[in-house]
């Protein structure tokens, strides 16, 4: 571990602002002297004690609950002290300052500081200590942040399952099966003079097939978990007055965007996150796409194209009341071609025909009858649009046991899939190159270990834990 991982740390563990209760948390080795300086007495392990928190002169800063968790039976694996005081920002800052002051205070018996090196924690450093001290693995650590950041009930429940180890258990099962297969291959490499065909007798090909099938199921659940966590970005695009802002308001169930009959009302993007069956969708209303001489509107249109380029799905909104007009149809065709040129077919574009309440069914144009038709004003067709968005996102009705995951996990599982595929090709080839087979299996195991943190770089850990809040 880096030297900083041995420093005692302290931080306010509750969110900024005022509240009924606020928590200051300390983690380190040997917190007994600091505890007595702050609380005036020793504390019984894992027992809440109501007492005053004292300053250097012995005066009470506040009164609250103190809890002491001796390591390794604590969140971080070190000694942990939690002071639960009133949640005013001034009170908590006073307690934080008092902890730092007491840590630097000389011990009367030795003359050394009561807690040498005590400093304010960096973001995520408490959870990083828990990972480094083998209290949790990396996937569980990420699940803590995902549970805090969950925007839907389904995401929160899935994050809780990952924190409980559901995802990690599946990764460990894959890893154990892979290690057993590697052992067979290494045995064949180590004893080439033996006449026994280790791989054939042990059904190495069958074991590899089972691994690939299990991996496919894990990948499917991981993709669903990543979708629950991150959602997709949906951009509403089209000509002015096609009803884009009305559709955003209808999907959100609130008047978020200004709606008027005046073309070019929307000059900048308006964004709202909605959820459909627990999946977060980040829906963005954009400026109407057209040629404009208005400088402000042109900036809005340029931003609209930027949003389209970064979308996971585009709702291309058409106006049924104008679709028979040759000029309108020509402009729609030009926009569609521009989207194809920019997106190259990599992003699904859903044609949506709006204002169905204004045009009788018999008068719909032939090309409109095949698309999604709705009325943003009355809500007709919105349910079908929601289901179509879930299909585009790749969402399937989630089983109760789904766990949260990140794109990092999905990418690692893709590496495993590729490596196992290469290993299978080696096994199926006449006269397989066993050294290449062993290397493919090693790469697959490393990719699995990256998910749980058994094989990871300090750079990766820095990126992950820096996204946590301070005090967690």
């Amino acid at each position: 571990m880096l030297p900083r991982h041995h420093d005692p740390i302290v931080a306010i563990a509750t969110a900024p602002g005022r509240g009924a209760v606020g928590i200051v948390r300390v983690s380190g080795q040997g917190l007994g002297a600091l505890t007595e300086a702050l609380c005036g007495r020793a504390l019984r392990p894992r027992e809440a004690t109501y007492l005053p928190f004292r300053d250097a002169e012995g005066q009470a800063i506040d009164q609250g609950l103190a809890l002491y968790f001796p390591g390794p039976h604590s969140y971080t694996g070190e000694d942990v002290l939690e002071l639960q005081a009133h949640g005013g920002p001034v009170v908590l800052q006073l307690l934080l300052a008092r902890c730092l002051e007491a840590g630097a205070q000389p011990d009367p018996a030795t003359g050394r500081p009561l807690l040498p090196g005590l400093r304010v924690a960096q973001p995520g450093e408490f959870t990083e200590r828990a990972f480094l001290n083998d209290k949790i693995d990396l996937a569980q650590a990420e699940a803590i942040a995902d549970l805090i950041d969950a925007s839907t009930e389904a995401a929160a429940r899935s994050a809780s399952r990952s924190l409980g180890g559901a995802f990690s258990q599946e990764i460990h099962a894959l890893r154990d099966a892979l290690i057993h297969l590697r052992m067979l291959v290494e045995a064949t490499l180590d004893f080439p003079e033996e006449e026994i065909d280790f791989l054939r007798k042990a059904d190495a090909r069958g074991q590899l097939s089972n691994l690939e099938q299990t991996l496919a199921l894990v990948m499917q659940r991981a993709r669903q978990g990543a979708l629950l966590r991150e959602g997709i970005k949906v951009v509403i695009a089209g000509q002015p007055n096609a009803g884009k802002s009305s559709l955003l308001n209808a999907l959100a169930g609130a008047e978020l965007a200004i709606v008027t009959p005046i073309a070019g009302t929307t000059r900048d993007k308006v964004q709202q996150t909605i959820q459909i069956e627990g999946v977060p969708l980040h829906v963005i209303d954009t400026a109407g796409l057209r040629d404009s001489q208005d400088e402000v509107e042109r900036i809005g249109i340029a931003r609209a194209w930027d949003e389209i380029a970064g979308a996971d799905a585009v709702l291309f909104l058409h106006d049924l009341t104008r679709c028979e007009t040759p000029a309108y149809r020509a402009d729609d065709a030009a926009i569609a071609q521009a989207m194809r040129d920019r997106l190259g077919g990599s992003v699904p574009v859903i044609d949506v025909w709006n204002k169905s309440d204004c045009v009788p069914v018999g008068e719909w144009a032939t090309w409109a009858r095949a698309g999604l038709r709705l009325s943003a004003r009355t809500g007709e067709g919105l349910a079908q649009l929601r289901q179509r968005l879930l299909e585009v996102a790749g969402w399937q009705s989630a089983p109760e046991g789904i766990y949260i995951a990140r794109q990092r996990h999905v990418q690692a599982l893709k590496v495993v899939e590729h490596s196992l595929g290469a290993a299978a090709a080696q096994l199926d080839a006449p006269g397989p190159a066993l050294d290449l087979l062993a290397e493919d299996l090693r790469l697959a195991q490393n990719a699995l270990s990256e998910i749980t943190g058994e094989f990871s770089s300090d750079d990766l850990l820095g990126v992950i834990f820096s996204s946590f809040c301070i005090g967690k």
Side-chain angles (χ1 to χ4, degrees):
M1 291 192 295
L2 297 174
R4 70 178 182 85
H5 294 143
H6 298 286
D7 295 341
I9 52 175
V10 59
I12 298 171
T14 41
R18 292 186 295 176
V21 177
I23 298 173
V24 173
R25 176 184 288 162
V26 186
S27 179
Q29 300 295 339
L31 300 186
L34 178 73
T35 299
E36 292 197 28
L38 293 167
C39 303
R41 51 175 289 189
L43 299 176
R44 293 171 63 90
R46 292 172 293 281
E47 182 178 296
T49 305
Y50 181 73
L51 44 70
F53 308 130
R54 302 191 179 279
D55 63 17
E57 285 72 40
Q59 301 298 312
I61 298 172
D62 192 12
Q63 297 194 49
L65 294 178
L67 294 105
Y68 173 59
F69 303 91
H73 305 296
S74 68
Y75 179 72
T76 64
E78 304 171 332
D79 294 348
V80 171
L81 174 66
E82 288 195 355
L83 307 177
Q84 300 185 8
H86 292 96
V90 174
V91 173
L92 295 178
Q93 287 294 336
L94 285 172
L95 279 178
L96 178 64
R98 173 59 183 142
C99 287
L100 293 169
E101 178 189 38
Q105 177 182 326
D107 186 328
T110 64
R112 298 179 65 248
L114 293 181
L115 196 59
L118 179 63
R119 59 174 173 80
V120 175
Q122 298 177 5
E125 196 167 1
F126 288 94
T127 303
E128 186 179 19
R129 296 282 177 95
F131 164 70
L132 293 172
N133 292 324
D134 296 323
K135 303 296 292 185
I136 53 176
D137 65 28
L138 194 55
Q140 289 173 297
E142 291 170 304
I144 293 170
D146 294 336
L147 183 58
I148 294 171
D149 294 336
S151 59
T152 68
E153 180 182 348
R157 291 184 180 277
S158 298
S160 180
R161 279 188 283 273
S162 283
L163 177 56
F167 184 33
S168 300
Q169 287 167 13
E170 296 208 354
I171 298 301
H172 289 149
L174 281 170
R175 183 205 59 191
D176 292 345
L178 191 53
I179 289 173
H180 184 263
L181 186 55
R182 285 189 67 192
M183 177 189 68
L184 296 174
V185 175
E186 297 292 344
T188 307
L189 281 170
D190 289 342
F191 303 101
E193 70 281 357
E194 294 288 343
E195 296 180 359
I196 300 174
D197 186 347
F198 288 100
L199 300 183
R200 179 176 56 80
K201 289 185 176 295
D203 189 23
R205 189 63 183 87
Q207 291 187 42
L208 184 55
S209 295
N210 290 336
L211 256 172
E212 291 179 304
Q213 292 173 14
T214 304
L215 175 66
L217 294 175
V218 174
M219 285 186 70
Q220 180 184 7
R221 285 194 285 268
R223 287 192 181 100
Q224 299 290 288
L227 189 58
L228 269 182
R229 177 184 181 270
E230 297 169 9
I232 64 169
K233 177 182 175 180
V234 179
V235 174
I236 306 175
Q239 295 191 56
N241 278 357
K244 299 183 296 300
S245 298
S246 296
L247 179 56
L248 173 66
N249 292 343
L251 287 171
E255 296 296 317
L256 301 174
I258 298 172
V259 177
T260 74
I262 303 170
T265 299
T266 302
R267 300 292 185 95
D268 204 351
K269 68 178 182 180
V270 181
Q271 180 171 335
Q272 177 68 18
T273 297
I274 64 172
Q275 57 170 298
I276 304 175
E277 293 186 16
V279 179
L281 273 69
H282 313 293
V283 185
I284 301 174
D285 174 29
T286 58
L289 304 175
R290 65 173 178 176
D291 291 328
S292 174
Q293 301 304 313
D294 185 295
E295 184 63 26
V296 176
E297 187 179 0
R298 287 171 63 184
I299 294 173
I301 292 170
R303 291 182 179 180
W305 281 114
D306 289 341
E307 294 297 334
I308 290 170
D312 296 310
V314 176
L315 299 181
F316 187 7
L317 214 58
H318 308 273
D319 186 347
L320 274 171
T321 65
R322 293 184 283 166
C323 66
E324 292 285 6
T325 307
Y328 183 84
R329 288 170 53 189
D331 289 341
D332 259 9
I335 293 171
Q337 183 59 52
M339 284 187 186
R340 285 192 292 271
D341 293 342
R342 287 173 179 258
L343 302 176
S346 60
V347 176
V349 177
I350 305 171
D351 287 299
V352 179
W353 302 87
N354 189 28
K355 305 183 183 179
S356 61
D357 57 312
C358 299
V359 180
V361 175
E363 298 180 15
W364 286 349
T366 305
W367 54 85
R369 291 173 186 165
L372 262 173
R373 300 179 298 276
L374 58 80
S375 168
R377 186 173 66 86
T378 67
E380 177 190 358
L382 284 180
Q384 291 87 337
L385 176 59
R386 292 188 179 99
Q387 287 304 309
R388 181 75 180 102
L389 286 171
L390 288 179
E391 292 172 10
V392 166
W395 178 250
Q396 301 168 359
S397 294
E400 187 61 27
I402 196 170
Y403 40 71
I404 207 74
R406 297 187 173 199
Q407 283 302 324
R408 179 183 82 81
H409 306 148
V410 175
Q411 293 302 319
L413 290 173
K414 286 181 179 178
V415 172
V416 178
E417 182 182 41
H418 174 77
S419 298
L420 292 185
Q426 285 294 339
L427 273 177
D428 293 337
L434 294 183
D435 53 344
L436 295 179
L437 173 60
E439 177 64 10
D440 288 329
L441 296 178
R442 185 188 70 82
L443 292 174
Q445 183 181 339
N446 284 352
L448 286 175
S449 297
E450 284 180 357
I451 294 176
T452 56
E454 295 162 271
F455 179 83
S456 59
S457 68
D458 288 338
D459 288 343
L460 173 64
L461 298 182
V463 169
I464 290 173
F465 289 108
S466 65
S467 64
F468 281 61
C469 54
I470 293 175
K472 191 57 185 173

